[in-house]
């Protein structure tokens, strides 16, 4: 079925297929495909459930067409006539595309970008035309890192802005992002000169399970936090009810209020525990977690992404210890960091989070194991920092 007009608004007056795609787009922006039933989509569209099978054959195909339509709209905007590479920052104007793509990735579904979709291939071919001196590894690294940085900022922008202390300079983040991607494309700025080199990376992974580390708490209290850790890896906080928490933990619902006061406090403690376990496992005396070490902590990355996608929560910046550590180290060595430097810390953190989350998608699109590219990507991220914060280990 041909893609429908992306600019049509949801209305009972619309053609049923258009109404279904619009309704599915809205629902999939907030929830993963496995949590959105065909009947919910039909109800939101104001049409009979049978219309899904009449026009699309299945809910799966409807979801695929939602992603295809959003992808097509993004490509049309990102690649204006004559453009070799996508316009930096375009993805920030396509919130629904980013949210649906992220929900699908978190859901571990098979609804990836269709193989024939031109985004990655077109990006790589265009960059190759601009910089024919780069080898295959360098091209793949630049494309993956650029995509990761832009997706990461789009997903985590608000809490990262707060973490970096840029509430009064939020617009600067977008400008610095565009500038950094332009520098990546052209080999300018911090990426000027020198050949692509590789850093040796270290990631220890979880040293003790976030679900089992002894804390001295009563057993029921520990089980509730452990249940929240598990649930945050698969859904947004606002979709986790107190009763769901109690059921997963195997405890009486009343114990949530006895120990925590509310289900939201259980989730807050679980998210802080994930953060602390990541940072404790990967940092050390005088050291900040190494580049891409978050990949060894998928529960932390997934929980952080679910929190960022939750529009019902007030965003906070306390889930990004690397940004805070970079700020503290800069203060101790060079004084208070200026806004552009804070932006770079933010961009480095955003790129690593999205690289970890979207690694399977990038690997499929590029046809290679992304771990092979991480040492080169780490070198590029290190160049973005105005001082050497990640000494070789």
């Amino acid at each position: 079925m041909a893609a429908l007009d992306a600019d049509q608004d949801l209305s009972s007056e619309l053609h049923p297929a258009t109404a279904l795609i619009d309704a599915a787009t809205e629902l999939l922006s907030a929830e993963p495909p496995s949590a959105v039933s065909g009947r919910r989509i039909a109800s939101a569209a104001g049409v009979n459930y049978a219309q899904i099978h009449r026009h699309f054959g299945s809910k799966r195909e409807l979801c695929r067409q939602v992603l295809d339509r959003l992808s097509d709209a993004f490509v049309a905007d990102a690649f204006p006539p004559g453009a070799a590479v996508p316009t930096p920052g375009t993805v920030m104007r396509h919130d629904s595309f980013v949210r649906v793509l992220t929900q699908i990735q978190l859901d571990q579904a098979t609804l990836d970008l269709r193989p024939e979709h031109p985004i990655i291939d077109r990006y790589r071919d265009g960059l190759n035309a601009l910089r024919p001196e780069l080898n295959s590894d360098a091209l793949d690294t630049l494309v993956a890192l650029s995509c990761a940085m832009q997706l990461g900022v789009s997903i985590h922008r608000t809490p990262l802005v707060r973490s970096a202390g840029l509430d009064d300079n939020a617009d600067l983040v977008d400008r610095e992002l565009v500038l950094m991607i332009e520098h990546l494309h052209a080999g300018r700025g911090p990426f000027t000169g020198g050949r692509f080199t590789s850093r040796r990376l270290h990631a220890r992974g979880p040293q003790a399970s976030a679900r089992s580390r002894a804390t001295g708490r009563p057993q029921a209290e520990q089980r509730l936090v452990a249940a929240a850790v598990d649930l945050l890896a698969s859904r947004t906080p606002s979709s986790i009810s107190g009763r769901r928490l109690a059921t997963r933990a195997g405890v009486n619902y009343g114990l949530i209020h006895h120990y925590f006061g509310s289900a939201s406090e259980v989730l807050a403690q679980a998210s802080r525990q994930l953060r602390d376990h990541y940072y404790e496992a990967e940092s050390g005396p005088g050291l900040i977690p190494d580049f891409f070490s978050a990949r060894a902590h998928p529960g932390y990355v997934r929980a952080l992404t679910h929190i960022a996608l939750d529009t019902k929560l007030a965003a906070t910046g306390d889930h990004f210890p690397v940004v805070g550590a970079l700020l503290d180290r800069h203060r101790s060595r060079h004084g208070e960091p200026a806004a552009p430097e804070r932006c770079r810390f933010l961009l480095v953190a955003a790129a690593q989070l999205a690289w970890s989350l979207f690694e399977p998608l990038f690997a499929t699109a590029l046809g290679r194991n992304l771990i092979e590219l991480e040492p080169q990507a780490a070198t590029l991220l290190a160049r973005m920092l105005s001082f050497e914060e990640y000494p070789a280990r």
Side-chain angles (χ1 to χ4, degrees), residues 205-227:
Q207 300 300 294
S209 171
R211 295 187 293 272
S212 62
R213 182 182 292 184
T215 63
R217 291 175 165 179
Q219 186 180 37
E221 188 177 353
Q222 293 184 56
R223 289 169 68 177
L224 281 165
V225 174

Side-chain angles (χ1 to χ4, degrees), residues 168-186:
D168 297 330
N169 292 280
D171 291 344
L172 179 62
V173 174
D174 297 334
R175 296 198 297 272
E176 286 293 316
L177 172 64
V178 169
L179 179 63
M180 203 57 57
I181 301 303
E182 289 176 344
H183 285 338
L184 269 176
H185 288 168

Side-chain angles (χ1 to χ4, degrees), residues 196-202 287-292 371-383 385 387-393:
F196 272 63
T197 58
S198 298
R199 292 175 61 98
R200 183 178 179 184
L201 301 179
H202 296 263
L287 294 174
I288 294 172
D290 208 352
F291 293 110
F292 304 112
I371 295 176
E372 300 169 353
L373 305 179
E374 287 180 359
Q376 289 193 23
T379 298
L380 295 174
L381 291 177
R383 291 184 185 179
L385 303 175
F387 57 100
E388 180 54 66
E389 289 302 331
Y390 285 82
R393 303 189 182 197

Side-chain angles (χ1 to χ4, degrees), residues 105 137 140-149 151-152 155-156 201 291-295 301 348-363 366 369-378 380-381:
Q105 189 62 43
D137 285 355
D140 290 346
T141 300
L142 288 176
V143 169
L145 188 60
S146 170
C147 290
M149 191 177 297
L151 286 169
I155 296 166
H156 297 284
L201 301 179
F291 293 110
F292 304 112
S293 59
R295 181 173 50 77
V301 173
V348 166
Q352 294 178 77
L353 286 170
W355 182 290
S356 299
L357 179 65
F358 290 100
E359 181 180 352
L361 188 151
F362 295 156
L366 293 170
N369 187 341
L370 229 63
I371 295 176
E372 300 169 353
L373 305 179
E374 287 180 359
Q376 289 193 23
L380 295 174
L381 291 177

Side-chain angles (χ1 to χ4, degrees), residues 330-351:
H330 192 286
R331 292 187 184 102
S332 68
R333 296 182 176 184
H334 309 281
E336 195 65 29
E341 291 166 326
R342 292 171 180 268
C343 284
R344 291 192 179 193
F345 301 161
L346 180 158
L347 296 178
V348 166

